[in-house]
């Protein structure tokens, strides 16, 4: 049995009244596949063929850069250590940062060449430095894809050059972009750099939105004849951050234009609110047989919600808590559920967890609680 607690949230004022939400249809997007999500809540705002596997071209390098950042975080490589450029890396076709064969290049320079200049040579050099061979690195890429929940992705190389079976989806790329932003904020600024100079050659970032819109601060472009023109973009307006993925556009300008249409629509008609902080206590429940008489229940991570603009006052928050909770208590154990609804539509469900460890009470205190529980159940 569970006891149901209902709390109606009206953050603007107790008497706040929200007008019915009128949201126009999403804009028509000239691309094979696309998706728009809120970065904080993960809520999908717009999608079309988002689960269709497609060749990603240089969007592949988002995974390559994610793994490099992971290796830096784990301490397996250092930003100032150097990677030796093999003949294979030097000869890799397509976009390049123009590293010299048999030269030793700092990891951070290769990462900049990978992200800003979309250097295929940098991508292969990094893959070989981390895993020995590009083929072994591709296996690591696929392991990370599975761990991140990119369930329809399969990588064959580190660059995105055309290869049989090398594919991903718009949804998977939005998952990866979100993790890049939040897992590695220390290097996320590289994605908004407009140019990078190496070996005397300066090249601009191919993401035109960086030059068109100051709110856009990443992430990556891609193009091959097979994949068309692709772009994963992120934009921040106030406290709200959106991520768009456009795959299979017709031109470099079109991928930027279609991405901006998605981002503009999202910011214009939706808003994201942080309802609860990390580790916030939301309910206090009676506790039996424990050293304490009450148990604090809450959420591990902050709770974000993305809704149509002007509907914040119509949010309903409900807590369903176990009727009888007995010690011992282990922090993180689920004892209830948080649900958030808007006008009858369920938006979010999260477990309510114990916020602390609580040991059992002494023998006589437990006996007394057993007696009280017996009579409580006897008389309802």
């Amino acid at each position: 049995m569970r006891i149901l607690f209902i709390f109606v949230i009206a953050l603007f004022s107790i008497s706040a009244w929200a007008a019915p939400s009128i949201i126009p249809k999403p804009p028509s997007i000239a691309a094979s596949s696309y998706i728009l999500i809120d970065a904080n809540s993960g809520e999908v705002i717009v999608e079309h063929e988002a689960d269709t596997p497609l060749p990603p071209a240089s969007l592949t390098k988002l995974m390559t850069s994610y793994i490099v950042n992971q290796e830096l975080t784990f301490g397996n490589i250092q930003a100032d250590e150097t990677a030796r450029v093999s003949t294979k890396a030097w000869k890799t076709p397509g976009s390049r940062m123009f590293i010299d064969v048999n030269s030793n290049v700092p990891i951070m320079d290769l990462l900049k060449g990978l992200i800003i200049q979309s250097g295929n040579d940098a991508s292969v050099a990094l893959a070989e430095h981390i895993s020995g061979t590009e083929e072994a690195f591709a296996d690591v890429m696929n392991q990370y894809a599975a761990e991140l929940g990119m369930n329809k992705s399969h990588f064959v190389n580190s660059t995105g050059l055309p290869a049989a079976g090398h594919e991903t989806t718009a949804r998977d790329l939005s998952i990866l972009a979100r993790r890049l932003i939040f897992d590695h904020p220390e290097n996320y600024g590289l994605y908004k750099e407009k140019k990078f100079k190496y070996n005397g050659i300066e090249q601009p970032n191919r993401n035109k939105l960086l030059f068109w819109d100051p709110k856009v601060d990443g992430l990556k472009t891609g193009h091959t004849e097979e994949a068309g023109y692709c772009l994963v973009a992120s934009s921040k307006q106030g406290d709200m951050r959106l991520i768009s993925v456009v795959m299979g556009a017709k031109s470099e300008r079109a991928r930027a234009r279609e991405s901006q249409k998605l981002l503009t629509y999202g910011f214009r008609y939706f808003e994201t609110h942080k309802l609860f902080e990390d580790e916030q206590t939301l309910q206090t429940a009676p506790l039996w047989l424990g050293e304490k008489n009450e148990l604090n229940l809450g959420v591990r991570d902050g709770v974000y919600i993305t809704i149509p603009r002007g509907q914040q006052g119509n949010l309903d928050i409900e807590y369903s808590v176990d009727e009888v909770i007995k010690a011992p208590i282990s922090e993180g154990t689920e004892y209830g559920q948080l649900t958030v609804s808007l006008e009858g539509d369920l938006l979010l469900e999260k477990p309510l967890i114990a916020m602390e460890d609580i040991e059992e009470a002494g023998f006589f205190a437990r006996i007394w609680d057993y007696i009280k529980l017996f009579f409580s159940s006897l008389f309802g």
Side-chain angles (χ1 to χ4, degrees):
M1 293 291 293
R2 287 191 170 185
I3 300 172
L4 186 65
F5 298 91
I6 301 178
F7 171 62
V8 179
I9 187 169
L11 297 180
F12 291 121
S13 68
I14 294 177
S15 60
W17 176 81
S21 175
I22 300 176
I23 303 294
K25 291 182 179 179
S28 177
I29 303 298
S32 302
S33 172
Y34 53 87
I35 194 170
L36 175 69
I37 71 167
D38 180 87
N40 286 298
S41 69
E43 183 76 21
V44 175
I45 298 173
V46 180
E47 64 176 293
H48 171 73
E49 297 292 340
D51 293 312
T52 301
L54 295 170
S58 283
L59 299 185
T60 299
K61 297 186 179 84
L62 290 174
M63 178 60 85
T64 303
S65 66
Y66 182 80
I67 295 172
V68 174
N69 276 294
Q70 289 285 93
E71 293 291 297
L72 288 167
T73 298
F74 296 152
N76 295 333
I77 59 175
Q78 305 298 319
D80 58 354
E81 76 177 68
T82 59
R84 189 161 184 81
V85 179
S86 69
T87 300
K88 176 183 177 180
W90 177 64
K91 285 185 174 181
T92 304
S95 54
R96 311 179 70 188
M97 72 174 284
F98 297 103
I99 48 180
D100 295 322
V101 65
N102 295 326
S103 63
N104 294 296
V105 184
I107 295 298
M108 190 52 64
D109 282 350
L110 288 172
L111 189 58
K112 291 177 180 177
L114 169 76
I115 293 171
I116 304 167
Q117 299 175 332
S118 197
N120 289 337
D121 48 359
S123 188
V124 174
L126 285 165
E128 292 178 337
H129 184 72
I130 290 171
S131 299
T133 67
E134 189 179 17
E135 291 76 18
F137 186 81
D139 183 61
V140 175
M141 296 171 79
N142 290 320
Q143 291 181 51
Y144 267 108
E147 181 181 309
L148 297 176
M150 299 171 62
N151 299 321
K152 294 191 175 182
S153 295
H154 183 260
F155 298 102
V156 176
N157 58 55
S158 65
T159 61
L161 287 171
H166 188 93
E167 58 189 17
T168 186
T169 69
R171 191 182 313 280
D172 283 359
L173 287 168
S174 72
I175 293 170
L176 178 57
R178 194 178 179 212
R179 293 296 294 268
L180 271 166
I181 292 168
F182 293 121
D183 290 358
H184 299 291
E186 70 280 359
N187 284 330
Y188 179 65
L190 294 177
Y191 293 92
K192 69 177 179 181
E193 294 296 322
K194 296 179 180 178
K195 57 185 178 181
F196 178 58
K197 186 176 184 179
Y198 184 80
N199 226 356
I201 302 171
E202 185 175 86
Q203 297 183 71
N205 196 312
R206 291 168 172 79
N207 184 357
K208 288 185 176 296
L209 286 183
L210 295 175
F211 302 88
W212 293 359
D213 186 346
K215 298 188 297 297
V216 173
D217 57 9
L219 292 159
K220 189 74 187 72
T221 62
H223 169 251
T224 62
E225 184 175 347
E226 181 184 22
Y229 290 84
C230 310
L231 174 59
V232 178
S234 184
S235 181
K236 191 171 187 290
Q237 183 172 296
D239 294 330
M240 186 177 182
R241 176 180 288 281
L242 298 178
I243 296 169
S244 65
V245 181
V246 169
M247 304 182 72
K250 297 299 184 183
S251 69
E252 184 178 1
R253 191 173 186 86
R255 70 184 173 194
R257 182 186 63 244
E258 302 307 290
S259 298
Q260 191 162 50
K261 285 162 66 174
L262 285 171
L263 294 167
T264 299
Y265 176 80
F267 284 125
R268 172 64 182 84
Y269 293 107
F270 292 84
E271 57 190 7
T272 296
H273 300 281
K274 188 173 188 179
L275 301 183
F276 304 113
E277 301 292 334
D278 297 351
E279 305 290 343
Q280 182 175 345
T281 295
L282 303 180
Q283 285 289 308
T284 301
L287 178 63
W288 301 91
L289 314 180
E291 291 181 339
K292 296 182 179 180
N293 295 324
E294 292 183 333
L295 173 64
N296 292 326
L297 299 172
V299 289
R300 177 83 66 196
D301 302 315
V303 176
Y304 292 86
I305 202 78
T306 300
I307 56 175
R309 286 196 171 274
Q311 293 300 298
Q312 189 176 11
N314 287 338
L315 287 176
D316 293 334
I317 300 179
E318 299 182 358
Y319 306 98
S320 176
V321 180
D322 289 1
E323 185 175 3
V324 177
I325 303 176
K326 300 177 182 179
I329 300 296
S330 296
E331 181 182 355
T333 303
E334 180 180 345
Y335 290 103
Q337 192 171 56
L338 160 72
T339 61
V340 182
S341 303
L342 177 62
E343 297 178 337
D345 293 328
L346 180 64
L347 302 181
L348 177 145
E349 289 183 312
K350 288 184 75 73
L352 287 175
I353 61 172
M355 305 303 290
E356 58 188 327
D357 294 327
I358 301 178
E359 299 294 332
E360 282 187 325
F363 176 75
F364 291 106
R366 295 201 310 273
I367 291 297
W368 181 240
D369 272 3
Y370 275 122
I371 293 172
K372 289 191 291 185
L373 272 171
F374 172 75
F375 283 102
S376 175
S377 61
L378 188 64
F379 296 106

